[in-house]
Amino acid sequence: MAEGKREKSVKALETMIASIRESCPEVPVYVSLIAPPAGQDGVGTRLGVSGADQTRLDQQAMVQLYLENFQRPEERVDVFPLYFNLDRWYDYDTRETQVSSRNPARIIRQINNVHPSVYGYLKFADVYYATILYSLAVNGYDFGFIGNEISETK
């Protein structure tokens, strides 16, 4: 990803956060970090080309920019650290395929380098839930649950 596109992404998110703040200044805002890519060359399998190394570099650069720009808990802006519990080898969809056009041996390959399997998305939900609960607790919310309500003690 070209460096200019990264900065445009950060600027677009800043604009969105400013819009949210204008409407509701106290609401916490979270930015999802880009999940780590699959452990195999799922990009090549999915697109029919090789490019996993460049994809990994691009994703790491975006994660670094997001961490630098959106880890601001004092402003109630923070990140969802999706990389904590996503397994690069087992949380992406796979399929059995031929080793190559000339080699008929069968192997299991990941088929998507970007989007995890259902199990990976369930792990994302775990991170979202835990991060929101932690953020609310740090900001003084009492978790005296009544149904699905959270009562504020500030």
Side-chain angles (χ1 to χ4, degrees), residues 4-153:
K5 288 184 179 181
R6 292 183 197 126
E7 279 69 27
K8 283 182 183 178
S9 173
V10 169
K11 186 175 180 180
L13 283 168
E14 288 290 7
T15 300
M16 183 181 72
I17 291 168
S19 174
I20 292 169
R21 287 283 176 255
E22 187 177 315
S23 175
C24 190
E26 294 301 313
V27 71
V29 176
Y30 302 93
V31 175
S32 285
L33 294 180
I34 299 167
Q40 295 176 334
D41 189 6
V43 168
T45 303
R46 184 170 53 97
L47 301 176
V49 298
S50 181
D53 290 339
Q54 187 58 49
T55 299
R56 285 184 187 97
L57 292 172
D58 289 342
Q59 287 178 334
Q60 182 56 40
M62 283 305 297
V63 166
Q64 189 63 40
L65 268 176
Y66 282 14
L67 288 172
E68 291 168 4
N69 289 280
F70 302 113
Q71 250 183 333
R72 305 187 314 244
E74 68 283 352
E75 298 175 35
R76 297 177 69 116
V77 175
D78 218 333
V79 296
F80 287 120
L82 297 179
Y83 52 85
F84 274 136
N85 70 346
L86 188 68
D87 188 308
R88 296 178 53 221
W89 294 99
Y90 298 105
D91 290 336
Y92 286 85
D93 287 324
T94 60
R95 76 167 171 234
E96 184 177 311
T97 184
Q98 199 171 310
V99 170
S100 69
S101 62
R102 298 273 187 201
N103 186 341
R106 309 291 289 176
I107 61 172
I108 302 294
R109 282 200 171 123
Q110 292 172 322
I111 58 172
N112 192 314
N113 194 29
V114 177
H115 304 97
S117 67
V118 169
Y119 306 107
Y121 280 111
L122 290 172
K123 287 183 173 185
F124 284 0
D126 294 340
V127 170
Y128 295 146
Y129 183 74
T131 302
I132 290 169
L133 286 183
Y134 174 78
S135 174
L136 291 173
V138 164
N139 286 294
Y141 288 86
D142 174 23
F143 293 100
F145 288 102
I146 303 172
N148 289 329
E149 297 176 28
I150 299 176
S151 60
E152 185 177 341
T153 58

